[in-house]
């Protein structure tokens, strides 16, 4: 399994429903990736991305917001690769990215954390490591919020990739 997840903003007219095109989309030099990340056109989540998914997609403190929360990290329409052993790309339309941005703008991180903390803390050193763990998850939350806000502002779609 990959140790990180990449999310990239893409203008809808440029988006293709082709795994080959999507693979090329993520082929870039590291300097280009850093430049895109600074402009909030790309976000990279570290090995905690599955737990970040749990933070959003777990049982909801506010069930009315269930749909966008399941799209923040791992949600989206799959585009399968020729090699079925590799994870598919996940695509959110511009409208879905706007919904996620709205969810994240309104999300109460403390409530999300309180709901998921008992499940997450044992994986990161327990209660004694809570300040560091909380800080890491809160920072990722802020980065995702900024990424999706910028993506929504530009009316872009989102493509997600788990490098094999």
């Amino acid at each position: 399994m990959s140790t990180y997840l990449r999310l990239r903003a893409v203008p809808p007219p440029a988006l293709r429903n082709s795994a080959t095109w999507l693979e090329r989309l993520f082929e870039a030099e590291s300097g280009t990736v850093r430049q895109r990340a600074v402009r909030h056109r790309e976000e990279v989540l570290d090995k905690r991305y599955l737990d970040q998914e749990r933070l959003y997609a777990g049982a909801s403190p506010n069930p009315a917001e269930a749909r966008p929360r399941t799209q923040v990290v791992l949600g989206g329409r799959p585009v399968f690769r020729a090699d079925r052993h590799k994870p598919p790309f996940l695509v959110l339309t511009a409208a879905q990215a706007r919904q996620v941005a709205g969810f994240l703008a309104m999300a109460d991180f403390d409530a999300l954390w309180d709901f998921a903390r008992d499940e997450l803390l044992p994986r990161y050193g327990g209660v004694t490591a809570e300040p560091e763990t909380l800080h890491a998850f809160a920072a990722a939350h802020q980065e995702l919020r900024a990424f999706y806000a910028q993506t929504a502002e530009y009316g872009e779609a989102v493509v997600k990739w788990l490098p094999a």
Side-chain angles (χ1 to χ4, degrees):
M1 177 167 287
S2 177
T3 59
Y4 62 98
L5 171 73
R6 291 174 62 184
L7 298 87
R8 171 121 1 130
V10 178
L15 190 61
R16 302 288 177 266
N17 191 28
S18 158
T20 302
W21 186 87
L22 293 171
E23 285 172 356
R24 275 188 254 140
L25 174 68
F26 283 96
E27 291 174 356
E29 296 177 25
S30 61
T32 304
V33 170
R34 277 193 298 276
Q35 188 177 39
R36 285 184 182 127
V38 167
R39 293 185 328 220
H40 298 294
R41 297 192 42 79
E42 180 159 354
E43 185 59 49
V44 179
L45 293 177
D46 67 12
K47 64 187 177 208
R48 289 182 288 263
Y49 68 88
L50 289 175
D51 288 333
Q52 198 77 32
E53 169 76 1
R54 169 66 178 99
L55 188 71
Y56 298 116
S60 173
N62 185 356
E65 298 175 19
R67 185 170 167 80
R69 72 186 301 113
T70 62
Q71 296 174 339
V72 175
V73 178
L74 293 179
R77 176 183 49 82
V79 176
F80 295 97
R81 302 182 193 186
D83 181 351
R84 295 290 181 160
H85 297 295
K86 292 182 178 179
F89 292 97
L90 300 171
V91 178
L92 291 179
T93 65
Q96 290 169 318
R98 274 191 308 276
Q99 287 180 331
V100 171
F103 164 73
L104 289 172
M106 300 301 294
D108 179 348
F109 176 78
D110 292 330
L112 293 171
W113 176 255
D114 288 344
F115 192 81
R117 81 179 278 284
D118 290 342
E119 182 179 339
L120 296 178
L121 278 181
R123 297 181 206 156
Y124 297 95
V127 175
T128 59
E130 184 168 10
E132 296 84 17
T133 306
L134 174 63
H135 175 74
F137 279 88
H141 174 74
Q142 290 304 322
E143 290 166 5
L144 283 167
R145 180 184 280 187
F147 168 76
Y148 277 108
Q150 187 75 31
T151 300
E153 182 179 327
Y154 289 138
E156 294 180 317
V158 173
V159 178
K160 303 170 187 179
W161 178 48
L162 285 166

